[in-house]
Amino acid sequence: MKKDIPYKIYLDETELPQSWLNLRAFMKQKPAPLLNPDTLQPVTKEELSHVFCEELVDQELDETSKFIPIPDEVRNFYKMYRPSPLVRAYCLEKALGTPAHIYYKFEGNNTSGSHKLNSAIAQAYYAKKQGLKGVTTETGAGQWGTALSMACSYFGLDCKVFMVKVSYEQKPFRREVMRTYGADVTPSPSTTTAIGRKILEEFPGTNGSLGCAISEAVEAATSREGYRYVLGSVLNQVLLHQSVIGLETKTALEKYDVTPDIIIGCAGGGSNLGGLIAPFMADQLEGKANYRFIAVEPASCPSLTRGKYAYDFCDTGRVCPLAKMYTLGSSFIPSPNHAGGLRYHGMTTTLSELHAQGLLEARAVEQTKVFEAAEYFARVEGILPAPESSHAIRAAIDEALKCKESGEKKTIVFGLTGTGYFDMMSYEKFHDGKMSDYIPTDEDLQVSLSKLPKV
Amino acid sequence: MKKDIPYKIYLDETELPQSWLNLRAFMKQKPAPLLNPDTLQPVTKEELSHVFCEELVDQELDETSKFIPIPDEVRNFYKMYRPSPLVRAYCLEKALGTPAHIYYKFEGNNTSGSHKLNSAIAQAYYAKKQGLKGVTTETGAGQWGTALSMACSYFGLDCKVFMVKVSYEQKPFRREVMRTYGADVTPSPSTTTAIGRKILEEFPGTNGSLGCAISEAVEAATSREGYRYVLGSVLNQVLLHQSVIGLETKTALEKYDVTPDIIIGCAGGGSNLGGLIAPFMADQLEGKANYRFIAVEPASCPSLTRGKYAYDFCDTGRVCPLAKMYTLGSSFIPSPNHAGGLRYHGMTTTLSELHAQGLLEARAVEQTKVFEAAEYFARVEGILPAPESSHAIRAAIDEALKCKESGEKKTIVFGLTGTGYFDMMSYEKFHDGKMSDYIPTDEDLQVSLSKLPKV
C-alpha cells in the first residue's frame, strides 16, 4: 500500500547526506577545463591556490571522485536549517486543476533566505581550517553575501563583501542583515581596489555589475595576507556543495516511492539547478533513469538559450581563469529593469556541457510572467517566493497546465530556492503595473559576444 | 536509554493537535468578564455578534470547554507551515557556556513571519463559514496584517487593513506583502472613517496608534454589510487558537522526556505567550506540574510590571467592550523611539488574571539590551529574530547565565515568535548606535491611568 504523502516531507536529521555528489565524475564527456588567461593552458592547483582555499581548489579540479564526504563541522551547521522540506504542492495542484503531482524543495527557511548557505558554510569551513583570517566575495541581489556573512560569523572569520552598487542602494536592508552578522559591505565599483578605480574612471556613474564586483573581491583577497576569495555560484565546488539539495530531494521522494518525470530549476550561474539535479542526472548518466531536466532563465539574461558555447572571461576585470560555458560575453549587463538575481553572463561549465550534450533543456521566460506566477504561488501555497525562484515556478505551472490539457499525470519537481522578503520593491513595481520586459536584441548580444577571448 | 535530542524536533503532520486548548476553562478564578461600556453589564453574545463572527463570539465567551476541535479546513492550512520546529539551541548553550538546556519554539517559518497566522486562518475560516464578504482589522508592526491577508486570500475573503500610520510609512515592504495577498491597506488614522476623521481633527499630524486603528477597523466592519472585525491579539479566541504553539511544544518535549523548568515568552497583547504556556499552565492549575512562567515586556510599554489591574477601554475610540486587565490606560502611546511591536496599552484578561494570582511572573527589558540579545542570537543560532521575539531571547539568555553562575542545569523553553526581516531599520539604528531607551516616568503613566473608566 502506498503511504499517504504529507504536505511537507521532512527527513530526519540522521538522514542528512554524509557526502556531496560530484556530478562531473559521472560524466563521460567532461566539461572543458578552466584555462589560465595568459598561457591558455589548463589552470594548475598552484595558480588557483592564490585565489581560493586549498581544499576548495582540490574540489574544483576533482573530476573523478563521485562522492566527497561532508565534514562534521559543516553537517552540524546544516542541522540548524536542514534537511529542508520537500513540499507536496497540494494547494497549487488544486488551484490549477491539474492531474500533475507537483513537489518543490524549499530552501528558503533560513536567514539567508536561499540555498546559498549550503555552499557558504562549506567554503567558510575550509577557509577556517586553512587558518585564514577572512574571505572576500561579491554579491548581487544579496542572498550570497548574507549567506557568507552568516557562515563567517559562525566560524569567526572576517568577511568582506563587494555588493553591486545598484543593489547596495536599492536594498539597504540586505546590507543591514550582513552587518548584523558582522560583515564589512562595500558598494562596487569602489575606490578601495585598483580595478574598481579603473572601472570608475572608465565608466563614471556606473551602477556596477556582478562581473565587476567579482574582480574587486578577487583583488581584495589576493592583495591581503591571510585572505582568499569565495564565490557563490558558477564554480564546480559550489555545484558540489549544492548537491545536498538534490540528495535530500531524492531520499524524500524514494521514501514515498515517487519518481519524478520533470525536474525544474531556475538558472543564473547554475548553482541551485546543478545541485538539485545532481543525483538524478547521475542516475541518468549511468542509464538507471530517464528524467526531463529544465533550466529556466530570464529572457533578459538568456545565456543558455541565446548565448554561445565558448571560452570566456568569468569576470569583467579579466583576473579569473577562462571557462568554457554558454555565455553572453563578459561585458554583458542585463537591462536596468531586470529585477532580482540570475544576472550572470555565463553558465557553470557542467550545466553548459550537459546542455550541449542535449541532456538539459533550457527555456527563457519574461519577468512579468515570472511575477504573475510568483504572486499566484504566494496566494495558493502561502510562501512569498524570490524572483529568482519564481522562474522555476513559472515553468512548473506551465508544465502542469500542459498536463491539464493532455490529461497526463506527470510528477513535477522544482527547486524553490528562496523567499522574496527583500524583493518587495520589485513586487511593488509589478503591482503598480510599472514592470516591463526587456529582451536583448541580437545586435545587443553581438556587441558583447564580439569581445570573447580568442582561444 | 534517553534518546539523542536533534537540533530541530519536527512533529509529524499527524501529530498536529486535533483541538485547541481553552486555558480559561482550567482556571478556578476566571478572568473578569468583558463589559458593555454603556451599561457596564457583561457583554452578551448578541452585542458581540455585531462586531465579531458568531462562532468566534462563542469561543470568546466560552469559559468551560477545555478543548475545542480545530476544523479540518484550518488543520489543512496549518499543514502548509506546521507543526513548527522546536529547536534545541545547542549553539547558544555552547556560546554562553551554560549548563542550562535551552529550547525554542520557532514560529517564523511562514510568510507572515510570525505566530499570527495561527489565529488569522481560524478567524478567516469562521468568517467564510458565516458567509461574510470580508473582514477588517488593524496592524501595527505589520505581522498580523500580513497573516490575515494570507488567510483571507486562501479563503477568498476581502481584507481591509488599517495600518498604524508610522508603520505604514516606515515599512512599505510589509504593506507590499499584504498587497501581494490582495489586501486593501489604509494608513490610520484615515479620513475613511468617522472616528479617524475625529482623531485627525483633534490631533492633526498624529503618527497613529494601535488603539486608534482598532477603532477605525471596528467602524469599517460595523458600517458595512457582510463584514466583521477581527483582531490578532488580546482576545480570548486568539489565545485559544495560539494554544497550538504550546500543544506542539509539549508533545515534542514529551517525545524526548524533557520537562521544562522555565517557560518564557514575550508579551504585548499576550497572544503568543498565552498560546505557548496554555497546556503547561493547564497542568499546573490541575496540580500536575510546577513550572516558572515569565512574561517579558518592553520597558517602554510595561503593562504587566507597571500598569494597573483595572477595567479599561480596549481601543482609543472607546467602541470596544471594557476589559479588566493590566493596563497603562487606553490613551498611552509608547515613545516614538520604541522599535517593533509589543506596544499595546493592556494585557489579555487571562494573562492579567494569572499574573494577579501570582502564577505568571513578569519582567520589563530595555530595547538596547533586547537588540544586543537579538544580534547575539542571530550570530550563534543563525536565525534573525523579530524585535518582539528578542524580548524572550533576552530573558532566556539572562536565565541561562544565572544557571552558569549557580551551576544549575535548568531546562529553559522560550517562544521565538518570528523573524526580523522587515525590521532592519531598527537593526540599523542599533548598529549605528542611534537606538536609545525610553522608560515612561511615573508622571507619564499617571496621565494615561487617570483616564480609566469608572467601573
Side-chain angles (χ1 to χ4, degrees), chain A residues 5-8 10-11 13 76-83 91 108-113 150 153-154 170 172-177 179-183 374-375 378-384 419 421-422 424-425 427-429 431-432, chain B residues 5-8 10-11 13 76-83 91 108-113 150 153-154 170 172-177 179-183 374-375 378-384 419 421-422 424-425 427-429 431-432:
Chain A
I5 295 168
Y7 279 66
K8 299 182 304 307
Y10 272 109
L11 298 178
E13 186 171 294
N76 280 342
F77 186 88
Y78 278 170
K79 287 176 190 170
M80 289 208 285
Y81 71 102
R82 308 200 68 82
C91 297
N109 272 353
N110 70 73
T111 292
S112 81
M150 293 175 68
S153 159
Y154 183 77
Q170 282 184 3
F173 296 161
R174 272 280 185 208
R175 180 188 70 210
E176 215 47 46
V177 179
R179 279 180 80 195
T180 302
Y181 287 94
E375 183 165 282
R379 291 188 182 190
V380 300
E381 283 288 320
I383 295 171
L384 185 83
T419 49
Y421 305 137
F422 291 94
M424 295 322 294
M425 213 177 266
Y427 273 92
E428 188 174 16
K429 261 192 184 170
H431 294 145
D432 292 344
Chain B
I5 295 168
Y7 279 67
K8 298 184 303 308
Y10 271 110
L11 297 177
E13 184 172 294
N76 280 342
F77 186 90
Y78 278 171
K79 287 176 189 169
M80 290 208 285
Y81 71 101
R82 307 200 69 81
C91 296
N109 272 352
N110 69 74
T111 292
S112 81
M150 291 175 68
S153 160
Y154 183 76
Q170 282 182 3
F173 296 161
R174 271 278 185 211
R175 181 188 71 211
E176 216 46 48
V177 178
R179 280 180 80 195
T180 302
Y181 287 93
E375 183 165 282
R379 292 188 182 189
V380 300
E381 282 288 320
I383 295 171
L384 186 82
T419 48
Y421 305 138
F422 292 94
M424 295 321 296
M425 213 179 266
Y427 273 93
E428 187 174 15
K429 261 192 185 170
H431 293 147
D432 292 343

Side-chain angles (χ1 to χ4, degrees), chain B residues 66-137:
Chain B
K66 289 189 170 175
F67 294 93
I68 295 179
I70 306 175
D72 279 347
E73 291 83 349
V74 175
R75 286 187 86 239
N76 280 342
F77 186 90
Y78 278 171
K79 287 176 189 169
M80 290 208 285
Y81 71 101
R82 307 200 69 81
S84 69
L86 180 72
V87 185
R88 172 75 185 270
Y90 282 118
C91 296
L92 179 60
E93 292 169 15
K94 195 177 155 196
L96 293 172
T98 178
H101 289 190
I102 309 174
Y103 294 82
Y104 55 91
K105 179 70 168 168
F106 181 41
E107 291 289 320
N109 272 352
N110 69 74
T111 292
S112 81
S114 81
H115 66 293
K116 298 278 182 180
L117 197 52
N118 302 331
S119 184
I121 193 64
Q123 297 194 46
Y125 165 75
Y126 290 114
K128 185 70 183 178
K129 195 177 165 201
Q130 196 174 322
L132 297 177
K133 283 185 209 155
V135 292
T136 71
T137 198

